Amino acid sequence: MTRQSSGVDVQHAIPIVIGLACGIYAFSVGVPRLVTQLTGVEGSFTAERCTWELDSEGETQGECEGSFTASDGSFTIRPIESEGVFHSRPQEPVTRLVGGPSADKAVPPDLATSLIPMGFGLTAFAFPAWALTAATRDAAERRRRRRAWPAAADLPPNFGPVRIPPAGSGTETGAGWSADTAAGSSAGSAAGSAAGSAAAVGSEPPVGTTPKHHS
């Protein structure tokens, strides 16, 4: 049974590139945040200045900048931006984590803020991964057909079911196929001519008999 074409073509290059770009961006956001959440220094963030805007649903949300103080009091960072959005200015310090004294962003401890972007990145990688896998299988199939039947190597992948003849059958190449077809046609024509001649000879009456005439 011959596998049909995977459908991978030049027009898929743009969505492949977009999928790779979205996946790389999502992982570039989620992975560093996850590393900070797992290995960072916990402390408290105090908001000092916030910028506000309306989201797509018309609700107010903002990003805040302020100071961060480690829980053990070993260092303080000012100014530092807090990742995530606030729906109102926090009146009290909130829990955040940083990668160290030189960090420029404080991340929330909620792992969902890292896992969601990474999940989106995996989804974005799905189409490029499928396309590259299918293209690799198509290339391997063409190489296999080229070795088994050179005449089929130039056929498009969606040509349809292609039966590769067994070795030594005389139909392994296009020339062999044409020669066998021509030979079969010639043999059929010769057999038809011989049958017609035999029929014509058989229509003569036997010797010594008088043919009957119908009035």
Side-chain angles (χ1 to χ4, degrees):
M1 181 177 180
T2 303
R3 185 177 63 85
Q4 299 295 324
S5 171
S6 63
V8 180
D9 208 340
V10 178
Q11 62 265 25
H12 295 104
I14 294 178
I16 287 175
V17 172
I18 293 176
L20 290 174
C22 293
I24 292 173
Y25 174 76
F27 271 89
S28 68
V29 172
V31 171
R33 184 181 297 173
L34 181 62
V35 172
T36 302
Q37 291 170 338
L38 296 177
T39 64
V41 179
E42 185 175 348
S44 58
F45 170 80
T46 302
E48 298 175 355
R49 183 173 64 254
C50 298
T51 57
W52 305 97
E53 62 182 6
L54 296 178
D55 60 12
S56 59
E57 298 179 356
E59 296 183 359
T60 302
Q61 64 178 13
E63 297 179 350
C64 295
E65 186 179 278
S67 62
F68 173 86
T69 302
S71 298
D72 58 3
S74 58
F75 62 89
T76 298
I77 305 175
R78 180 185 289 113
I80 187 171
E81 180 184 349
S82 175
E83 290 191 358
V85 295
F86 297 92
H87 295 288
S88 62
R89 179 167 181 162
Q91 302 299 321
E92 298 180 357
V94 294
T95 302
R96 289 292 185 268
L97 296 101
V98 298
S102 60
D104 58 354
K105 288 186 178 181
V107 303
D110 186 8
L111 292 178
T113 58
S114 300
L115 298 179
I116 291 176
M118 293 174 65
F120 174 77
L122 289 175
T123 303
F125 281 142
F127 180 79
W130 166 82
L132 294 176
T133 301
T136 302
R137 289 186 303 187
D138 279 347
E141 175 70 12
R142 286 193 295 269
R143 286 195 299 270
R144 187 188 70 82
R145 291 199 302 177
R146 187 178 296 110
R147 289 194 301 266
W149 188 22
D154 297 330
L155 295 177
N158 58 351
F159 183 76
V162 177
R163 297 183 60 187
I164 299 176
S169 62
T171 59
E172 297 179 5
T173 63
W177 181 84
S178 300
D180 288 353
T181 303
S185 300
S186 299
S189 300
S193 299
S197 299
V201 172
S203 63
E204 296 294 332
V207 178
T209 60
T210 301
K212 297 181 180 181
H213 299 280
H214 299 276
S215 58

